[in-house]
C-alpha cells in the first residue's frame, strides 16, 4: 500500500508540475507582453515599462516561473494588479462562498441520488424505475445555468421564496447565507444527482446479479434484506469514486452558476480578472482549481485502493 | 443462453438487420428524430428563415409568441424562431469540429498506446491524458480566453482539447482487448507491423465504440458551447448562439420569460436527442449490454 501511495504521489507531483508549466506558458508567454495587455492598446510606453518592472516581468522566463511557483508553495500568490491586494487573501475570501456551495451541492446531489438509484434498482422495470430513469435523462440533458434561470423565475420572481442572487455573507447568520446558496446548490446538484442516480442504479443491478446475493437469498433473506445488507456496500465503491470526481467538477462547474446568481465566489473572481486583465489572479485561481481536481482524484484513488486491494497491484 | 433476442443476432449483424432493429429501438427513433429536427433547422437556415435575423425591428421588440412570431421576438425585435434556427448552426458546428479534433488526435494516440502497451510511450500518453482531465473544458476555455480573447474558434479549441483524452482512452481500452484476439494474432503471424494492424484490423473494430462516444461527446459539446457562450467566452455577437440568447434574456426574464424559455428548450431537446441516440446506438451495437441494462 505504501508503495502504491508513493507511486501515486510521484505521479501527482509530476501532474502538478506539468500543469503549472502549461498554465504559466499559456498565460504569460502566448499573449506577448502581459503588461501591455493589461494596460490596453493606448498605454504609454513608460507606463508599460513601469508595470513590467512592478510585475517582475523583466527577468528570464525561468526566473519568472520559479518566482511564481516559489510564491505558490509558500502561500504568496502575488499582488492583484487591479485590487492591489494579495491574491491569496482574495482567493481565501472567495473560497468562503465557493467551497460551501460545492459541499452543499454535493450533499444535495447525494441525498437525491441515493434513494432514487436504490429505488430504481430494487424495483427494476416498474413505473418508479421508468420515471426515475426518465427524469435523470432530462437532468443530464438540461443546461444547469438555464435550469438556474428557470428557478429564479419561479422561486425568486414569482413565488418570492428566495432572492434572485447575491450573497449576504456568513456574518449575516447561517440561515440567510445558506438560503442564498440554496437555489445555486440545487442548480449545480441536479445534473450531478442524475448522473449519480444512474450509476447507483447500474452498480446495484450489477451487484444484485452476483452469486453471493443468490447465496444470501438462498439463506432465506428477502430481496430487500439482501440488498440492504450485502449489495449496497459492494455497489457503493464505484459510486464513491464518482462522488469524488464530482466534487472537483463542482468547484470548477460553479463558475457559470456563480455568474447566474451573482455570487462572489472563485468563478466570478476569474471573470472579473479576465475582463480587468488581471492575469496574475487568473493564473493563480486556475492553478488552484487544477490542484483541487488533481488532489481529489488522488484521494479517490487512494481510498479506492484501500477498499479494493486488487487495485494496488494493477499497473 | 435461452434469450431469443440475443441468440438471433449474429456478432456482425447484416446492415438490413441493423436497420430493422434500429427502427424498433424507441431510444434511437426518438433521439434520431430530435437530432434530425435540429440538424434540419440548421441546414434550412442557410437558405431560409422566417425572418431576417440581421434586421432589427424595434417596433416589434419583446413580443410574446403570436401567429406572426411563433416563439416571440427578442429585445431587438428579432424573431426568436429564426434566431434558434441560425443558432443551431453555431452549436452544431462547434460541437462537430470539437468532436473532430478529439477524434483526430485521440484515436491515433489511443491506437498507438494500445499497440505499445506497457511501454514508456503508453505511460506518457495515458499520463498526459490524465493531465488534460485535470483541466475541465471550462478552465481550458478560460485560459485560452485570457490569452487570446473570446471567440467561437477558441471555444472549439477548448472543447476539442478536452475531447482528446476521452477518445484516446476509449480507443485504447477497445484496442487492448482486440490485440488479444485470434485474427490479430493471424495478422501478426502474416508479418504485418503494428501500425498496419492498428489501421486495418483494430480501427474498423472500434468504430462502433467511437460512434457511440462521439454522439455523447457531441451532446456534451453542445452543452459546453452553450455554457461558454452564456458567460461570454464563446461565440461573439453578431453570431447567434443559444447560450448568448440565454445570457441576453437573463435581465428580462421577469417580463419576457419566453426569451429565456425557447433557447433553453432548444438546448435541452438537442442534447436529450443526442443522448437517447447514443444510448440507442450502444444497445444496437452491443446486444449483450442491452440485456444487462434492462
Amino acid at each position: 500500500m505504501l508503495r502504491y501511495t508513493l507511486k501515486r504521489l510521484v505521479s501527482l507531483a509530476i501532474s502538478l508540475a506539468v500543469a503549472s508549466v502549461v498554465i504559466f506558458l499559456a498565460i504569460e508567454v502566448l499573449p506577448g507582453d502581459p503588461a501591455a495587455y493589461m494596460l490596453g492598446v493606448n498605454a504609454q510606453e513608460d507606463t508599460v515599462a513601469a508595470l513590467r518592472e512592478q510585475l517582475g516581468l523583466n527577468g528570464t522566463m525561468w526566473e519568472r516561473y520559479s518566482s511564481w511557483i516559489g510564491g505558490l508553495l509558500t502561500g504568496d500568490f502575488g499582488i492583484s494588479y487591479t485590487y492591489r491586494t494579495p491574491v491569496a487573501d482574495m482567493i481565501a475570501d472567495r473560497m468562503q462562498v465557493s467551497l460551501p456551495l460545492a459541499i452543499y451541492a454535493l450533499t444535495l446531489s447525494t441525498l437525491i441520488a441515493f434513494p432514487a438509484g436504490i429505488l430504481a434498482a430494487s424495483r427494476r422495470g416498474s413505473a418508479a424505475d421508468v420515471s426515475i430513469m426518465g427524469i435523470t435523462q432530462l437532468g443530464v440533458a438540461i443546461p444547469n445555468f438555464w435550469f438556474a434561470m428557470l428557478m429564479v423565475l419561479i422561486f425568486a420572481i414569482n413565488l418570492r421564496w428566495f432572492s434572485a442572487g447575491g450573497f449576504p455573507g456568513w456574518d449575516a447568520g447561517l440561515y440567510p447565507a445558506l438560503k442564498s446558496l440554496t437555489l445555486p446548490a440545487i442548480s449545480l446538484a441536479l445534473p450531478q444527482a442524475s448522473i449519480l442516480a444512474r450509476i447507483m442504479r447500474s452498480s446495484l443491478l450489477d451487484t444484485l446479479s452476483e452469486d453471493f446475493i443468490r447465496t444470501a437469498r438462498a439463506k432465506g433473506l428477502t430481496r430487500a434484506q439482501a440488498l440492504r445488507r450485502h449489495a449496497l456496500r459492494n455497489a457503493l465503491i464505484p459510486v464513491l469514486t464518482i462522488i469524488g470526481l464530482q466534487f472537483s467538477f463542482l468547484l470548477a462547474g460553479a463558475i457559470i452558476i456563480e455568474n447566474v446568481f451573482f455570487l462572489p465566489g472563485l468563478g466570478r473572481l476569474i471573470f472579473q480578472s479576465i475582463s480587468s486583465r488581471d492575469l496574475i489572479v487568473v493564473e493563480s485561481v486556475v492553478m488552484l482549481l487544477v490542484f483541487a481536481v488533481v488532489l481529489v482524484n488522488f484521494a479517490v484513488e487512494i481510498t479506492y485502493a484501500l477498499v479494493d486491494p486488487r487495485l494496488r497491484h494493477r499497473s | 443462453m435461452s434469450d431469443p433476442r440475443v441468440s438471433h443476432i449474429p456478432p456482425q449483424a447484416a446492415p438490413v438487420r441493423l436497420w430493422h432493429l434500429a427502427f424498433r429501438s424507441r431510444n434511437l427513433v426518438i433521439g434520431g428524430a430530435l437530432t434530425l429536427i435540429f440538424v434540419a433547422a440548421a441546414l434550412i437556415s442557410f437558405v431560409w428563415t422566417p425572418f431576417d435575423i440581421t434586421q432589427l425591428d424595434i417596433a416589434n421588440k419583446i413580443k410574446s409568441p403570436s401567429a406572426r412570431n411563433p416563439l416571440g421576438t427578442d429585445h431587438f425585435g428579432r424573431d426568436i424562431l429564426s434566431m434558434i434556427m441560425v443558432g443551431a448552426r453555431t452549436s452544431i458546428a462547434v460541437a462537430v469540429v470539437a468532436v473532430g479534433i478529439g477524434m483526430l488526435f485521440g484515436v491515433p494516440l489511443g491506437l498507438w498506446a494500445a499497440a505499445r502497451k506497457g511501454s514508456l510511450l503508453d505511460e506518457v500518453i495515458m499520463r498526459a491524458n490524465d493531465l488534460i482531465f485535470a483541466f475541465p473544458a471550462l478552465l481550458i476555455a478560460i485560459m485560452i480566453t485570457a490569452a487570446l480573447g473570446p471567440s467561437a474558434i477558441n471555444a472549439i479549441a477548448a472543447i476539442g482539447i478536452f475531447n482528446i483524452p476521452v477518445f484516446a482512452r476509449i480507443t485504447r481500452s477497445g484496442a487492448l482487448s482486440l490485440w488479444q484476439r485470434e485474427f490479430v494474432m493471424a495478422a501478426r503471424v502474416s508479418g504485418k507491423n503494428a501500425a498496419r494492424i492498428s489501421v486495418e484490423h483494430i480501427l474498423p473494430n472500434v468504430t462502433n465504440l467511437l460512434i457511440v462516444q462521439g454522439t455523447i461527446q457531441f451532446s456534451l459539446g453542445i452543452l459546453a458551447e452553450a455554457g461558454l457562450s452564456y458567460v461570454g467566452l464563446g461565440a461573439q455577437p453578431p453570431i447567434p448562439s443559444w447560450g448568448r440568447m440565454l445570457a441576453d434574456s437573463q435581465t428580462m426574464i421577469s417580463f419576457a420569460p419566453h426569451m429565456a424559455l425557447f433557447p433553453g428548450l432548444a438546448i435541452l431537446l438537442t442534447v436529450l436527442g443526442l443522448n437517447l441516440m447514443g444510448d440507442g446506438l450502444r444497445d444496437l451495437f452491443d446486444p449483450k449490454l442491452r440485456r444487462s441494462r434492462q
Side-chain angles (χ1 to χ4, degrees), chain B residues 87-211:
Chain B
R89 270 193 242 168
T90 316
S91 286
I92 292 173
V94 169
V96 164
V97 181
V99 170
I101 294 175
M103 282 193 178
L104 193 68
F105 292 96
V107 173
L109 282 174
L111 287 175
W112 202 13
R116 300 254 188 282
K117 188 198 173 224
S119 69
L120 186 67
L121 179 89
D122 180 24
E123 184 71 10
V124 169
I125 291 177
M126 294 332 280
R127 286 293 139 211
N129 276 331
D130 288 347
L131 188 71
I132 300 183
F133 264 131
F135 290 84
L138 195 62
L139 280 188
I140 301 179
I142 284 171
M143 277 166 50
I144 295 180
T145 313
L148 304 173
S151 75
I153 304 285
N154 293 340
I156 290 175
I159 305 168
I161 292 173
F162 185 71
N163 275 335
I164 295 173
V166 176
F167 284 104
R169 232 166 241 261
I170 192 122
T171 309
R172 180 177 177 272
S173 68
L176 278 183
S177 64
L178 288 169
W179 274 99
Q180 310 296 325
R181 300 271 290 270
E182 286 86 353
F183 68 93
V184 172
M185 222 78 94
R188 289 171 96 166
V189 173
S190 73
K192 290 183 181 176
N193 63 23
R196 203 165 149 204
I197 292 176
S198 293
V199 174
E200 285 179 12
H201 298 283
I202 308 283
L203 188 59
N205 283 298
V206 292
T207 317
N208 286 354
L209 270 181
L210 293 178
I211 292 175

Side-chain angles (χ1 to χ4, degrees), chain B residues 25-97:
Chain B
S25 153
R26 203 177 35 185
N27 278 349
L28 208 55
V29 171
I30 299 175
L34 280 173
T35 310
L36 211 63
I37 290 174
F38 283 97
V39 172
L43 290 177
I44 293 172
S45 78
F46 280 105
V47 288
W48 176 81
T49 49
F51 289 86
D52 182 357
I53 58 148
T54 57
Q55 293 296 315
L56 307 187
D57 181 6
I58 302 299
N60 274 315
K61 69 174 187 183
I62 316 181
K63 285 274 189 310
S64 296
S66 63
R68 182 173 174 270
N69 306 96
L71 305 184
T73 63
D74 74 355
H75 53 306
F76 291 125
R78 293 174 297 187
D79 177 49
I80 290 182
L81 177 62
S82 309
M83 296 271 290
I84 287 180
M85 286 173 70
V86 183
R89 270 193 242 168
T90 316
S91 286
I92 292 173
V94 169
V96 164
V97 181

Side-chain angles (χ1 to χ4, degrees), chain B residues 235-270:
Chain B
Q236 297 298 303
I239 303 173
S241 124
W242 294 341
R244 190 82 237 147
M245 290 170 77
L246 286 177
D248 289 343
S249 75
Q250 198 178 351
T251 49
M252 290 166 253
I253 195 165
S254 56
F255 56 89
H258 69 275
M259 274 178 66
L261 199 61
F262 296 116
L265 269 180
I267 302 172
L268 172 65
L269 291 176
T270 312

Side-chain angles (χ1 to χ4, degrees), chain B residues 209-231:
Chain B
L209 270 181
L210 293 178
I211 292 175
V212 172
Q213 194 64 38
T215 320
I216 295 166
Q217 293 310 117
F218 189 32
S219 81
L220 289 177
I222 286 183
L223 273 180
E225 190 276 332
L228 290 176
S229 296
Y230 171 77
V231 287

Side-chain angles (χ1 to χ4, degrees), chain A residues 15 18 37 124 137 146 149 260, chain B residues 131 146 230 250 260-261 264 294:
Chain A
S15 294
V18 179
Y37 187 80
R124 182 189 196 177
Q137 193 68 264
W146 181 59
M149 287 166 69
V260 179
Chain B
L131 188 71
Y230 171 77
Q250 198 178 351
L261 199 61
Q294 268 173 2

Side-chain angles (χ1 to χ4, degrees), chain A residues 132-210:
Chain A
I132 288 173
M133 284 300 104
I135 293 169
T136 58
Q137 193 68 264
L138 280 177
V140 177
I142 205 167
N144 62 6
F145 60 93
W146 181 59
F147 182 63
M149 287 166 69
L150 294 183
M151 285 207 303
V152 168
L153 181 65
I154 296 168
F155 295 108
I157 295 172
N158 287 330
L159 294 175
R160 295 181 184 280
W161 290 355
F162 293 93
S163 69
F167 183 69
W170 294 104
D171 300 336
L174 191 64
Y175 177 70
L178 278 182
K179 197 177 163 191
S180 72
L181 291 182
T182 299
L183 289 185
I186 295 175
S187 327
L188 277 172
L190 178 85
Q192 310 281 350
S194 303
I195 297 171
L196 206 58
R198 293 179 85 88
I199 289 167
M200 182 83 217
R201 174 181 180 272
S202 66
S203 172
L204 253 183
L205 286 181
D206 281 350
T207 318
L208 281 174
S209 65
E210 299 231 16

